Each structure stands twice: as structure tokens, then as C-alpha cells.
Amino acid sequence: LNYGGVLFFMSKFTDILSKTRKQKNMTKADVAKKMGWTPMYYGRYENGYLIPSESNLKKFSDFLGISISDLSELLVESKESEAMNKAS
């Protein structure tokens, strides 16, 4: 999705991240603190501006309660979906 010249990484990952945070009754600031980040930095992941690096996969897998392997597959699916949307 392109909005004002900025590409957003909208995906299953961002949806699951947001839903999990809400199910745990946490704010973005709560999650950011838990992960050792600023709320703005965490928000960039949840809003689709950033894709997790390998060094951050463990933090996200712990928060989401899924394995790093499953999280990696989810990110690959999201990237493939994004690529297909760009090609359309």
C-alpha cells in the first residue's frame, strides 16, 4: 500500500501483532517497554513501517506465543503477498 510516497508493509504479521496486543489488554507503550523499545519504534512495526530483523524475531515470537519458525513463515507469506499486490 502506498500512501503519500510511503510504502506500508500490511500483512498478517501486523494484524496478528495488533490483535495479540489487544487480547493481552496492552497498549503499544506497554509492549514497547516489555521489548525495551520506545513506543514510537514499536508502533512502526505494528503499523507496517518495519519488518522484524533476525535479531528481533525472538522478541516477537515470545510476545506472540509462536515459534521463530512459524513467525518466519508468516513473514515470508506476508512478503509474498505484498509482492503479488505490487505486481497487480
Short mmCIF file of all heavy atoms in Angstrom, two decimals, residues 16-28 30-31 34-35 42 46 58-66:
data_model
loop_
_atom_site.label_atom_id
_atom_site.label_comp_id
_atom_site.label_asym_id
_atom_site.label_seq_id
_atom_site.Cartn_x
_atom_site.Cartn_y
_atom_site.Cartn_z
N ILE A 16 -1.84 -9.79 13.27
CA ILE A 16 -1.68 -10.66 14.43
C ILE A 16 -1.04 -9.90 15.59
O ILE A 16 -1.42 -10.07 16.75
CB ILE A 16 -0.88 -11.92 14.05
CG1 ILE A 16 -1.72 -12.80 13.13
CG2 ILE A 16 -0.44 -12.69 15.30
CD1 ILE A 16 -0.96 -13.96 12.52
N LEU A 17 -0.08 -9.06 15.28
CA LEU A 17 0.59 -8.27 16.31
C LEU A 17 -0.41 -7.38 17.04
O LEU A 17 -0.47 -7.35 18.27
CB LEU A 17 1.70 -7.44 15.67
CG LEU A 17 2.74 -6.81 16.56
CD1 LEU A 17 3.45 -7.86 17.40
CD2 LEU A 17 3.76 -6.07 15.70
N SER A 18 -1.22 -6.69 16.29
CA SER A 18 -2.22 -5.80 16.87
C SER A 18 -3.26 -6.57 17.68
O SER A 18 -3.61 -6.19 18.81
CB SER A 18 -2.90 -5.00 15.76
OG SER A 18 -3.94 -4.21 16.26
N LYS A 19 -3.77 -7.66 17.11
CA LYS A 19 -4.79 -8.46 17.80
C LYS A 19 -4.25 -9.06 19.10
O LYS A 19 -4.94 -9.07 20.11
CB LYS A 19 -5.31 -9.56 16.88
CG LYS A 19 -6.21 -9.03 15.79
CD LYS A 19 -6.66 -10.12 14.85
CE LYS A 19 -7.47 -9.52 13.71
NZ LYS A 19 -7.78 -10.52 12.68
N THR A 20 -3.02 -9.56 19.05
CA THR A 20 -2.43 -10.15 20.25
C THR A 20 -2.26 -9.11 21.34
O THR A 20 -2.57 -9.36 22.52
CB THR A 20 -1.07 -10.80 19.92
OG1 THR A 20 -1.27 -11.81 18.93
CG2 THR A 20 -0.43 -11.42 21.15
N ARG A 21 -1.78 -7.93 20.96
CA ARG A 21 -1.61 -6.85 21.94
C ARG A 21 -2.94 -6.51 22.60
O ARG A 21 -3.04 -6.38 23.82
CB ARG A 21 -1.02 -5.61 21.25
CG ARG A 21 -0.91 -4.41 22.19
CD ARG A 21 -0.33 -3.20 21.51
NE ARG A 21 -1.09 -2.72 20.37
CZ ARG A 21 -2.21 -2.00 20.45
NH1 ARG A 21 -2.73 -1.67 21.62
NH2 ARG A 21 -2.82 -1.59 19.36
N LYS A 22 -3.98 -6.40 21.80
CA LYS A 22 -5.30 -6.06 22.33
C LYS A 22 -5.88 -7.18 23.20
O LYS A 22 -6.49 -6.90 24.23
CB LYS A 22 -6.25 -5.72 21.18
CG LYS A 22 -5.87 -4.40 20.51
CD LYS A 22 -6.68 -4.15 19.26
CE LYS A 22 -6.18 -2.88 18.55
NZ LYS A 22 -6.85 -2.70 17.26
N GLN A 23 -5.65 -8.44 22.80
CA GLN A 23 -6.12 -9.57 23.60
C GLN A 23 -5.45 -9.60 24.97
O GLN A 23 -6.04 -10.03 25.95
CB GLN A 23 -5.86 -10.89 22.88
CG GLN A 23 -6.78 -11.13 21.71
CD GLN A 23 -6.39 -12.36 20.90
OE1 GLN A 23 -5.32 -12.92 21.05
NE2 GLN A 23 -7.29 -12.77 20.03
N LYS A 24 -4.20 -9.13 25.01
CA LYS A 24 -3.46 -9.10 26.28
C LYS A 24 -3.75 -7.81 27.05
O LYS A 24 -3.13 -7.56 28.09
CB LYS A 24 -1.96 -9.21 26.01
CG LYS A 24 -1.56 -10.57 25.47
CD LYS A 24 -0.07 -10.68 25.27
CE LYS A 24 0.31 -12.07 24.82
NZ LYS A 24 1.75 -12.31 24.95
N ASN A 25 -4.68 -7.00 26.54
CA ASN A 25 -5.04 -5.72 27.17
C ASN A 25 -3.80 -4.85 27.41
O ASN A 25 -3.64 -4.27 28.49
CB ASN A 25 -5.80 -5.94 28.48
CG ASN A 25 -7.16 -6.55 28.24
OD1 ASN A 25 -7.89 -6.15 27.33
ND2 ASN A 25 -7.51 -7.55 29.03
N MET A 26 -2.97 -4.76 26.39
CA MET A 26 -1.75 -3.96 26.48
C MET A 26 -1.82 -2.80 25.50
O MET A 26 -2.43 -2.91 24.43
CB MET A 26 -0.52 -4.82 26.15
CG MET A 26 -0.29 -5.95 27.13
SD MET A 26 1.10 -7.00 26.66
CE MET A 26 2.47 -5.97 27.22
N THR A 27 -1.21 -1.70 25.87
CA THR A 27 -1.07 -0.57 24.95
C THR A 27 0.22 -0.78 24.14
O THR A 27 1.06 -1.62 24.49
CB THR A 27 -0.96 0.76 25.71
OG1 THR A 27 0.25 0.74 26.48
CG2 THR A 27 -2.16 0.98 26.62
N LYS A 28 0.38 0.02 23.12
CA LYS A 28 1.63 -0.03 22.37
C LYS A 28 2.81 0.32 23.28
O LYS A 28 3.88 -0.27 23.16
CB LYS A 28 1.58 0.92 21.17
CG LYS A 28 0.66 0.44 20.07
CD LYS A 28 0.65 1.41 18.90
CE LYS A 28 -0.33 0.95 17.84
NZ LYS A 28 -0.36 1.86 16.69
N ASP A 30 3.00 -0.33 26.47
CA ASP A 30 3.27 -1.50 27.31
C ASP A 30 4.16 -2.50 26.59
O ASP A 30 5.13 -3.02 27.16
CB ASP A 30 1.97 -2.21 27.71
CG ASP A 30 1.06 -1.40 28.61
OD1 ASP A 30 1.55 -0.52 29.33
OD2 ASP A 30 -0.16 -1.65 28.57
N VAL A 31 3.82 -2.78 25.34
CA VAL A 31 4.60 -3.75 24.56
C VAL A 31 6.00 -3.21 24.31
O VAL A 31 6.99 -3.93 24.44
CB VAL A 31 3.90 -4.09 23.22
CG1 VAL A 31 4.75 -5.06 22.40
CG2 VAL A 31 2.52 -4.67 23.46
N LYS A 34 8.11 -3.65 27.36
CA LYS A 34 8.44 -5.07 27.53
C LYS A 34 9.60 -5.48 26.60
O LYS A 34 10.44 -6.29 26.96
CB LYS A 34 7.20 -5.92 27.25
CG LYS A 34 7.40 -7.40 27.35
CD LYS A 34 6.10 -8.13 27.06
CE LYS A 34 6.29 -9.61 27.04
NZ LYS A 34 5.87 -10.25 28.26
N MET A 35 9.63 -4.90 25.41
CA MET A 35 10.64 -5.26 24.42
C MET A 35 11.90 -4.39 24.51
O MET A 35 12.87 -4.62 23.80
CB MET A 35 10.05 -5.21 23.02
CG MET A 35 8.99 -6.26 22.80
SD MET A 35 8.53 -6.38 21.08
CE MET A 35 7.39 -7.74 21.11
N TYR A 42 8.16 0.65 18.42
CA TYR A 42 7.25 -0.50 18.36
C TYR A 42 6.10 -0.21 17.38
O TYR A 42 5.73 -1.06 16.58
CB TYR A 42 6.68 -0.87 19.73
CG TYR A 42 5.57 -1.86 19.59
CD1 TYR A 42 5.84 -3.20 19.31
CD2 TYR A 42 4.23 -1.46 19.65
CE1 TYR A 42 4.81 -4.11 19.11
CE2 TYR A 42 3.21 -2.36 19.45
CZ TYR A 42 3.49 -3.67 19.18
OH TYR A 42 2.48 -4.56 18.96
N GLU A 46 3.96 -2.37 14.24
CA GLU A 46 2.53 -2.67 14.21
C GLU A 46 1.81 -1.94 13.09
O GLU A 46 0.82 -2.42 12.57
CB GLU A 46 1.90 -2.32 15.57
CG GLU A 46 0.51 -2.88 15.70
CD GLU A 46 -0.07 -2.75 17.09
OE1 GLU A 46 0.56 -3.22 18.05
OE2 GLU A 46 -1.17 -2.18 17.20
N LYS A 58 13.06 -13.17 17.96
CA LYS A 58 12.85 -13.84 19.25
C LYS A 58 11.88 -13.04 20.13
O LYS A 58 10.98 -13.60 20.75
CB LYS A 58 14.19 -14.03 19.97
CG LYS A 58 14.08 -14.60 21.37
CD LYS A 58 13.77 -16.08 21.36
CE LYS A 58 13.88 -16.64 22.77
NZ LYS A 58 12.72 -17.39 23.16
N LYS A 59 12.05 -11.73 20.16
CA LYS A 59 11.15 -10.88 20.96
C LYS A 59 9.71 -11.01 20.48
O LYS A 59 8.78 -11.14 21.28
CB LYS A 59 11.59 -9.42 20.90
CG LYS A 59 12.87 -9.14 21.64
CD LYS A 59 13.23 -7.67 21.56
CE LYS A 59 14.52 -7.40 22.32
NZ LYS A 59 14.84 -5.98 22.35
N PHE A 60 9.53 -10.99 19.15
CA PHE A 60 8.18 -11.10 18.61
C PHE A 60 7.61 -12.50 18.81
O PHE A 60 6.42 -12.64 19.12
CB PHE A 60 8.14 -10.70 17.13
CG PHE A 60 8.17 -9.22 16.93
CD1 PHE A 60 9.28 -8.61 16.38
CD2 PHE A 60 7.11 -8.42 17.28
CE1 PHE A 60 9.32 -7.23 16.19
CE2 PHE A 60 7.13 -7.04 17.10
CZ PHE A 60 8.24 -6.46 16.55
N SER A 61 8.42 -13.53 18.64
CA SER A 61 7.90 -14.89 18.82
C SER A 61 7.48 -15.11 20.27
O SER A 61 6.45 -15.74 20.53
CB SER A 61 8.92 -15.94 18.37
OG SER A 61 10.00 -16.04 19.26
N ASP A 62 8.25 -14.58 21.22
CA ASP A 62 7.87 -14.68 22.63
C ASP A 62 6.56 -13.95 22.91
O ASP A 62 5.66 -14.47 23.57
CB ASP A 62 8.97 -14.13 23.54
CG ASP A 62 10.21 -15.01 23.58
OD1 ASP A 62 10.15 -16.18 23.16
OD2 ASP A 62 11.26 -14.50 24.04
N PHE A 63 6.44 -12.74 22.40
CA PHE A 63 5.24 -11.94 22.62
C PHE A 63 4.01 -12.60 22.00
O PHE A 63 2.94 -12.66 22.61
CB PHE A 63 5.41 -10.53 22.07
CG PHE A 63 4.17 -9.68 22.18
CD1 PHE A 63 3.73 -9.25 23.42
CD2 PHE A 63 3.44 -9.35 21.06
CE1 PHE A 63 2.57 -8.49 23.54
CE2 PHE A 63 2.29 -8.58 21.17
CZ PHE A 63 1.85 -8.15 22.41
N LEU A 64 4.16 -13.11 20.77
CA LEU A 64 3.03 -13.69 20.06
C LEU A 64 2.74 -15.12 20.49
O LEU A 64 1.68 -15.66 20.18
CB LEU A 64 3.30 -13.66 18.55
CG LEU A 64 3.38 -12.26 17.93
CD1 LEU A 64 3.86 -12.35 16.49
CD2 LEU A 64 2.04 -11.55 18.00
N GLY A 65 3.69 -15.74 21.18
CA GLY A 65 3.49 -17.12 21.61
C GLY A 65 3.57 -18.12 20.49
O GLY A 65 2.88 -19.15 20.50
N ILE A 66 4.38 -17.82 19.48
CA ILE A 66 4.59 -18.75 18.37
C ILE A 66 6.09 -18.96 18.19
O ILE A 66 6.90 -18.16 18.64
CB ILE A 66 3.95 -18.26 17.04
CG1 ILE A 66 4.57 -16.94 16.58
CG2 ILE A 66 2.44 -18.12 17.20
CD1 ILE A 66 4.05 -16.47 15.23
#
